Amino acid sequence: MPNHIDTVLRSTLAECTVSWSEAKTSPLDAYVDFQCRLGSLATRYEDYISTAITSGGYRRDSTLKYREVVAKNTDYALMIADEFHRRGLTDAELTLDAVALGKVAGWKQSDFLTFFLTAMARPVVPGLSSPEYRHLLDIYNHPQTYDKATFDDESLRNDVRLPHYQAFATEYWQRTKVLDVAPIDRSIRVADWNQSLGSQAEEHFARLIGIRVATPQIITSSCDFSLLDLPHDLSTSVKELRELGAHIIAPPEASKLVLT
């Protein structure tokens, strides 16, 4: 398993996975706790790595077990983010990686999306007794345009659940924009963003709130990945994912890795 760049944001999310699971922390309480843990960094991170963790990427490989899919997709997301950092396309210390937060015990898909959309919008929430917190809690507890049960029912087809994800993102934008928000700069799509319901909702929300959406692109007329001089582990993952038919790179144009 490759060694990834260690950052405050990554290590904080890893620590939060354990503590929130043990304390059975709700996603909004988790956001307030996350902001407190980060201190001044809470208002400065600017990029968000969005990726398919369970529904794309290595999920295309039917020989892999669920846990292997999650682990390999997580590694890929961190490796490609590390490569962005190495090339100066992003700042490692100012990038929030969704995959750095593991499985929080008791959380459903709507809980994870609530946390990450809030972390992308960054509303100012002075504390758990503040009017801002109560407003977010009302949004969370009383959805108006989607059915949370359908949203969270993983036995249903994606085409049945997707409208509820899109409605969730739209409603969250409409109901949070009355708060003092400080949205991040970019949401970066790195693997099968068109297959992941969460990734599609994050992109929809980003475009509504004014966050730029960026996609990795290889600028090479030959589409020869060997020209990029990628680290061995990342090169191997790129080859595997391309052979599986995963969407990881936008169509080529002329040899460097960029975000467009």
Side-chain angles (χ1 to χ4, degrees):
M1 184 175 295
N3 293 320
H4 302 299
I5 296 173
D6 185 27
T7 71
V8 172
L9 283 161
R10 287 178 177 179
S11 60
T12 300
L13 282 177
E15 293 167 0
C16 287
T17 303
V18 176
S19 63
W20 296 344
S21 293
E22 293 176 345
K24 295 181 171 54
T25 306
S26 73
L28 293 175
D29 287 20
Y31 170 72
V32 175
D33 180 49
F34 183 57
Q35 295 280 294
C36 289
R37 289 173 185 251
L38 292 180
S40 63
L41 182 58
T43 59
R44 295 193 296 112
Y45 62 85
E46 56 189 23
D47 287 321
Y48 174 71
I49 302 295
S50 175
T51 188
I53 301 173
T54 61
S55 59
Y58 282 98
R59 184 65 180 267
R60 296 170 180 263
D61 187 343
S62 60
T63 68
L64 296 177
K65 296 179 180 178
Y66 178 82
R67 288 188 177 183
E68 294 174 308
V69 168
V70 172
K72 290 176 77 69
N73 280 341
T74 296
D75 273 339
Y76 176 73
L78 293 174
M79 282 191 293
I80 193 67
D82 287 349
E83 187 65 10
F84 296 156
H85 305 330
R86 186 172 75 85
R87 292 174 182 265
L89 299 174
T90 53
D91 185 330
E93 295 299 332
L94 299 179
T95 299
L96 181 64
D97 303 88
V99 296
L101 180 66
K103 177 64 176 175
V104 179
W107 279 21
K108 297 180 179 180
Q109 292 300 313
S110 56
D111 296 313
F112 282 99
L113 194 59
T114 294
F115 173 76
F116 282 121
L117 293 193
T118 310
M120 292 168 69
R122 279 193 306 209
V124 175
V125 183
L128 300 182
S129 61
S130 66
E132 292 85 353
Y133 174 81
R134 291 195 296 273
H135 180 73
L136 290 174
L137 196 61
D138 183 61
I139 298 173
Y140 175 73
N141 287 329
H142 303 101
Q144 298 174 350
T145 60
Y146 67 94
D147 179 61
K148 190 174 287 191
T150 301
F151 185 108
D152 287 324
D153 189 345
E154 297 183 30
S155 70
L156 298 175
R157 298 192 317 271
N158 276 8
D159 63 319
V160 174
R161 297 171 68 199
L162 180 58
H164 296 269
Y165 273 72
Q166 301 289 54
F168 180 109
T170 299
E171 181 176 324
Y172 210 70
W173 165 67
Q174 291 175 335
R175 297 178 68 183
T176 56
K177 65 182 181 180
V178 300
L179 300 176
D180 182 9
V181 296
I184 59 170
D185 180 47
R186 288 185 300 187
S187 178
I188 302 172
R189 312 181 297 182
V190 298
D192 275 339
W193 48 88
N194 60 338
Q195 285 194 217
S196 166
L197 295 176
S199 293
Q200 291 179 74
E202 287 168 352
E203 178 178 346
H204 184 56
F205 179 76
R207 295 187 187 282
L208 287 171
I209 203 169
I211 295 169
R212 296 186 295 153
V213 177
T215 308
Q217 183 170 354
I218 302 296
I219 307 297
T220 170
S221 56
S222 64
C223 201
D224 184 354
F225 281 76
S226 66
L227 298 174
L228 290 175
D229 186 30
L230 298 175
H232 174 73
D233 290 326
L234 178 57
S235 179
T236 299
S237 287
V238 166
K239 182 175 183 296
E240 290 173 345
L241 287 168
R242 292 187 74 218
E243 289 175 349
L244 288 168
H247 294 90
I248 57 173
I249 300 290
E253 289 182 1
S255 48
K256 61 182 178 179
L257 179 66
V258 300
L259 289 172
T260 58

